[in-house]
Amino acid sequence: MPRLDPWRRDRTSPLVWLVAIVCAALAVSVIIAGIVVFAIYMIYQPKIPYVHITYANLNKLDYDQSGLLAVELALTVAAENDNAKAGAEFSDLGFILQFHGIEIAELKADKFDVPKNSSLPLNYLVPSSVIPLDQGAMEEMDSALKQDKVSFSINGQARTRWRVGIFLSVKFLTRLSCQLQFAPSNGSSIGGIGCSSKSH
């Protein structure tokens, strides 16, 4: 029967050592990355860029009893970057203007940058083609004209990116959903100004 050597020890496989070293290096990297991100957050205190409506006016509303509608609106949508130490980028910006669920016009903008702690106004003159209204929309328009208060909805989104240098960026999707109300008698806005987007 073979005798056991009390001084003999099993050696750890080199592969096990290699895996342990790699895991330790990854853990250290994650900790360092977390510290760096936290430090950047504390230094820059990022705020999410957003858009909001600052001006709206109904320049023209032509409607006849056959249910044909044509409008012209002037809108200003401001892109805001409240970050004091970082620039922001806006892209894929697009909004749909509707009346009673019927599309009136589409508002778009090419990619643009907003410097730190500033805003950029986007001015739109929105003329529509002649749009036929369905029965429900015609009833709503008739009621709106009698009350001198017509409502439109504007819905859409934009992609935003908060940037620090060329290496660190954080992306968001900001959505805008607002009701715009006007007095057809003079075109002035009676609601919707200041409506802001929400980011995700």
Side-chain angles (χ1 to χ4, degrees):
M1 182 174 179
R3 300 171 64 183
L4 296 176
D5 184 355
W7 302 102
R8 181 181 175 185
R9 294 182 179 177
D10 292 332
R11 294 186 176 181
T12 304
S13 167
L15 182 59
V16 173
W17 278 110
L18 179 61
V19 171
I21 291 170
V22 170
C23 289
L26 287 175
V28 171
S29 299
V30 169
I31 292 171
I32 292 174
I35 293 172
V36 169
V37 169
F38 180 74
I40 290 174
Y41 179 85
M42 294 304 295
I43 292 170
Y44 287 90
Q45 297 181 354
K47 297 178 182 177
I48 300 175
Y50 65 97
V51 295
H52 67 119
I53 296 175
T54 59
Y55 174 78
N57 192 75
L58 181 62
N59 293 347
K60 181 182 76 171
L61 190 154
D62 291 334
Y63 172 71
D64 62 31
Q65 294 305 310
S66 65
L68 297 178
L69 173 68
V71 299
E72 181 182 278
L73 283 82
L75 295 174
T76 299
V77 180
E80 300 285 348
N81 177 23
D82 291 337
N83 290 288
K85 300 180 180 180
E89 178 187 277
F90 289 75
S91 62
D92 298 332
L93 185 145
F95 304 113
I96 301 295
L97 182 70
Q98 295 179 319
F99 173 75
H100 193 73
I102 300 172
E103 183 174 329
I104 301 293
E106 184 175 11
L107 290 66
K108 287 189 172 184
D110 294 329
K111 183 169 65 175
F112 59 89
D113 292 328
V114 179
K116 57 187 179 182
N117 205 29
S118 64
S119 66
L120 179 69
L122 305 172
N123 299 309
Y124 293 96
L125 184 62
V126 188
S128 75
S129 56
V130 177
I131 299 167
L133 302 183
D134 58 28
Q135 186 61 38
M138 290 173 63
E139 292 175 359
E140 182 175 334
M141 181 58 73
D142 290 336
S143 176
L145 293 175
K146 289 176 183 177
Q147 299 175 38
D148 197 31
K149 184 170 70 174
V150 61
S151 297
F152 297 89
S153 63
I154 181 169
N155 300 281
Q157 64 186 30
R159 297 188 183 279
T160 64
R161 186 173 67 159
W162 173 81
R163 293 179 288 107
V164 178
I166 60 174
F167 298 107
L168 180 63
S169 69
V170 182
K171 296 180 180 179
F172 302 96
L173 184 65
T174 187
R175 299 181 185 275
L176 182 73
S177 181
C178 302
Q179 286 292 120
L180 303 174
Q181 294 183 327
F182 302 93
S185 57
N186 58 22
S188 62
S189 173
I190 52 177
I193 303 303
C195 179
S196 298
S197 63
K198 297 180 180 180
S199 298
H200 305 275

